Amino acid sequence: QITLKESGPALVKPTQTLTLTCSFSGFSLTTSGEGVGWIRQPPGKALEWLAVIYWNDDKSYSPSLRSRLTITKDTSKDQVVLAMTNMDPVDTATYFCANLGRSWYIRDWGQGTLVTVSS
Amino acid sequence: DIQMTQSPSTLSASVGDRVTLTCRASQSISSWLAWYQQKPGKAPKLLMFKASTLDRGVPSRFSGSGFGTEFTLTISGLQPEDFATYYCQQYNNYPLTFGGGTKVETK
């Protein structure tokens, strides 16, 4: 059974850097084809894909947010970390991590964590 | 980026109705389309992938069709638990993109 759980601050100030951790079980990022991605959803709005990292350290970022995002993995801890710089109130959203395999659709999601950007 | 457009944005329906949701891609994505159902405060749930393949455990009243740029999700015999927001997602290439969603609400 695959599980994922996001953790990080619930509140960040404008201009700060947000760091979110995805802790997962049921698969390994040392296994060929496995990946972990991040998706966000502002309150009442649609889903937006942010970034993905794969077992071989290949990464892909949303073009509109590429300059602000960094995704890394720690295979010894079964964790993936997403950093987003220069946070703004428009970045207020629920942030989900998810298991992305070779197929790129998402069966397994974390529960999501709400991040509010406010001074 | 491939833009995904869903229509309608809101659909009012009653239990037992047959409803059809539409998703259009700005360029051909072959059959690389997934549908998700999301309820308030929850993560999305995968309903369908490859445009028409039901994920395990998804009731057969859900069906999908389409190829290229135009896709539909049909719910035949709407049930109370089906009132939710539905999203399509293309996975033909990165960046992955989602549609704006269709909210199915009670008439």
Side-chain angles (χ1 to χ4, degrees):
Chain A
Q1 179 192 3
I2 291 175
T3 64
L4 305 101
K5 187 172 184 180
E6 308 85 353
S7 59
L11 179 67
V12 297
K13 290 179 168 35
T15 74
Q16 286 186 336
T17 294
L18 169 68
T19 301
L20 293 172
T21 299
C22 177
S23 302
F24 57 86
S25 63
F27 68 98
S28 173
L29 269 180
T30 61
T31 301
S32 177
E34 293 290 357
V36 171
W38 288 91
I39 300 98
R40 73 177 179 179
Q41 185 173 39
K45 297 189 177 181
L47 300 160
E48 178 184 20
W49 175 78
L50 300 177
V52 63
I53 188 167
Y54 283 98
W55 87 103
N56 59 358
D57 214 38
D58 274 355
K59 303 167 189 176
S60 186
Y61 294 101
S62 164
S64 62
L65 293 168
R66 183 192 311 272
S67 63
R68 298 173 54 205
L69 295 174
T70 303
I71 190 169
T72 57
K73 60 181 171 66
D74 184 335
T75 54
S76 67
K77 295 181 179 178
D78 286 340
Q79 290 181 336
V80 168
V81 174
L82 181 75
M84 180 180 290
T85 61
N86 195 25
M87 293 292 285
D88 182 271
V90 300
D91 296 313
T92 293
T94 296
Y95 288 74
F96 297 97
C97 66
N99 176 225
L100 273 105
R102 295 182 184 277
S103 299
W104 299 357
Y105 55 83
I106 304 169
R107 178 177 287 122
D108 298 294
W109 298 71
Q111 63 189 23
T113 186
L114 175 62
V115 178
T116 301
V117 185
S118 174
S119 54
Chain B
D1 302 5
I2 298 174
Q3 308 303 316
M4 306 301 293
T5 304
Q6 290 186 243
S7 60
S9 55
T10 306
L11 192 159
S12 298
S14 301
V15 171
D17 284 354
R18 182 175 187 267
V19 299
T20 298
L21 289 60
T22 298
C23 175
R24 290 186 174 87
S26 61
Q27 64 189 73
S28 178
I29 58 170
S30 184
S31 296
W32 306 122
L33 184 94
W35 287 97
Y36 302 88
Q37 177 193 67
Q38 188 180 33
K39 297 183 178 179
K42 300 293 187 182
K45 173 189 173 183
L46 178 68
L47 295 177
M48 203 161 314
F49 56 92
K50 209 173 180 185
S52 61
T53 302
L54 275 181
D55 197 33
R56 48 199 183 217
V58 175
S60 58
R61 63 181 179 272
F62 290 90
S63 62
S65 65
F67 183 88
T69 62
E70 189 137 345
F71 302 86
T72 59
L73 173 70
T74 299
I75 311 172
S76 300
L78 199 65
Q79 296 300 300
E81 61 269 28
D82 301 335
F83 291 98
T85 301
Y86 294 83
Y87 293 95
C88 61
Q89 176 227 329
Q90 67 82 17
Y91 57 99
N92 183 71
N93 55 22
Y94 277 99
L96 306 180
T97 45
F98 294 87
T102 292
K103 182 178 182 180
V104 177
E105 63 177 23
T106 309
K107 184 184 288 184

